[in-house]
Amino acid sequence: MSDNKDKSKRIFAILKLILLITIVVGIPAFLYLKFGDQLFSRNAAADMVAYLKAHQSFAALLVIMIQVVQVVICVLPGQPIQFAASYMFGVFGGLALSLIGAVIGVVISFYTAKLLGRDAVHMIFGEERVSDYHRKLNSGRGIMIAFLIYLIPGVPKDLVSYVAGISEMDFLPFLLVATVGRIPGMVGSLLVGHFFSRGNYVAIGIVCVVMGALLLTCFIKRKTIIQLLDDMEKRKAGKGDKADG
């Protein structure tokens, strides 16, 4: 009986290792070989539009799938996807498709982390970064901190859904804040794509100025923002220590 349990554990460990290698090496390597530098080029948005037009019959499904991959393989930029989505389907259609893909991506990354465990997440993203986010999400103000991370432009957010999977956070509240918090940033990219499809370059300029001002402000104040998140975590932790005492 114990031999069967040991065998099952070994098989499960091998499957986890295969999944880890797929996430870290397999999918990024496939994307690079398939699309090369197009993913990170200045023409990425235009290339995405051309790709969707070439596959127009199932373009909506492609938008969802590409958005899923962007969330799961979180080094990929999201703006070209939203630009192309609104170019093809308008702001509301593009937002709906992008959010569906983002929700699926968060589900996958959250439960992938839960399955692989903390050591694997440390291996993928680095122990220091993961530990910092893990401490914040477990601080008792984790939901608010997660919401601010997704909401504020320029705050690193690429691994939050993975860290949430190994934290004490409940899934549904986290999914809610991860979805709602990313909407403003998505809408900016969606508006640019929509106005570009209409040839309204004045509106594009206004959106870009507003988004640029927000990004610049957040970049200048990035230390203050990060300090705010740290203070929220420490205040809650301090209250917990007093209660224990």
Side-chain angles (χ1 to χ4, degrees):
M1 191 71 177
S2 60
D3 290 341
N4 290 334
K5 286 184 178 179
D6 291 339
K7 186 176 180 181
S8 298
K9 287 181 179 179
R10 284 197 297 271
I11 293 172
F12 187 61
I14 292 170
L15 291 175
K16 286 172 64 175
L17 179 61
I18 292 171
L19 179 59
L20 176 63
I21 293 172
T22 301
I23 293 171
V24 177
V25 180
I27 297 176
F30 170 78
L31 292 173
Y32 181 79
L33 292 172
K34 181 72 175 176
F35 300 104
D37 295 334
Q38 293 177 1
L39 291 170
F40 301 96
S41 72
R42 293 181 179 179
N43 299 321
D47 291 340
M48 190 76 68
V49 171
Y51 184 77
L52 293 178
K53 283 184 175 179
H55 303 84
Q56 200 155 357
S57 59
F58 53 96
L61 180 60
L62 282 173
V63 169
I64 294 172
M65 292 173 62
I66 295 169
Q67 184 67 70
V68 170
V69 172
Q70 189 272 322
V71 174
V72 175
I73 309 299
C74 45
V75 297
L76 300 178
Q79 291 79 8
I81 302 167
Q82 285 113 44
F83 177 97
S86 62
Y87 188 101
M88 296 290 293
F89 301 103
V91 175
F92 293 107
L95 179 62
L97 294 172
S98 297
L99 284 177
I100 291 170
V103 166
I104 295 171
V106 169
V107 172
I108 292 172
S109 53
F110 184 96
Y111 282 105
T112 296
K114 195 170 285 295
L115 174 66
L116 293 178
R118 185 180 300 183
D119 291 341
V121 177
H122 283 169
M123 188 183 302
I124 296 171
F125 296 108
E127 184 172 353
E128 184 176 347
R129 294 179 69 202
V130 171
S131 296
D132 181 48
Y133 276 100
H134 189 264
R135 189 173 61 252
K136 286 179 169 59
L137 297 184
N138 279 342
S139 67
R141 295 179 183 261
I143 290 295
M144 179 58 69
I145 291 174
F147 178 71
L148 290 175
I149 289 171
Y150 278 103
L151 180 66
I152 300 172
V155 176
K157 55 180 67 65
D158 54 357
L159 73 158
V160 179
S161 55
Y162 284 96
V163 179
I166 59 171
S167 75
E168 298 170 5
M169 295 183 70
D170 293 330
F171 172 68
L172 288 179
F174 173 74
L175 179 63
L176 178 63
V177 299
T179 303
V180 175
R182 72 173 74 240
I183 288 176
M186 277 187 171
V187 168
S189 301
L190 289 162
L191 286 172
V192 172
H194 174 69
F195 289 135
F196 189 83
S197 69
R198 301 293 181 89
N200 191 342
Y201 300 108
V202 173
I204 291 174
I206 293 171
V207 173
C208 289
V209 168
V210 172
M211 290 176 64
L214 287 172
L215 286 170
L216 181 61
T217 301
C218 290
F219 177 77
I220 294 171
K221 298 290 186 180
R222 65 192 184 280
K223 291 183 180 179
T224 304
I225 293 169
I226 293 171
Q227 186 63 50
L228 171 65
L229 298 177
D230 288 339
D231 289 344
M232 289 176 65
E233 168 206 332
K234 289 174 184 175
R235 280 198 299 270
K236 187 66 179 181
K239 289 179 181 179
D241 292 339
K242 289 180 181 179
D244 294 338

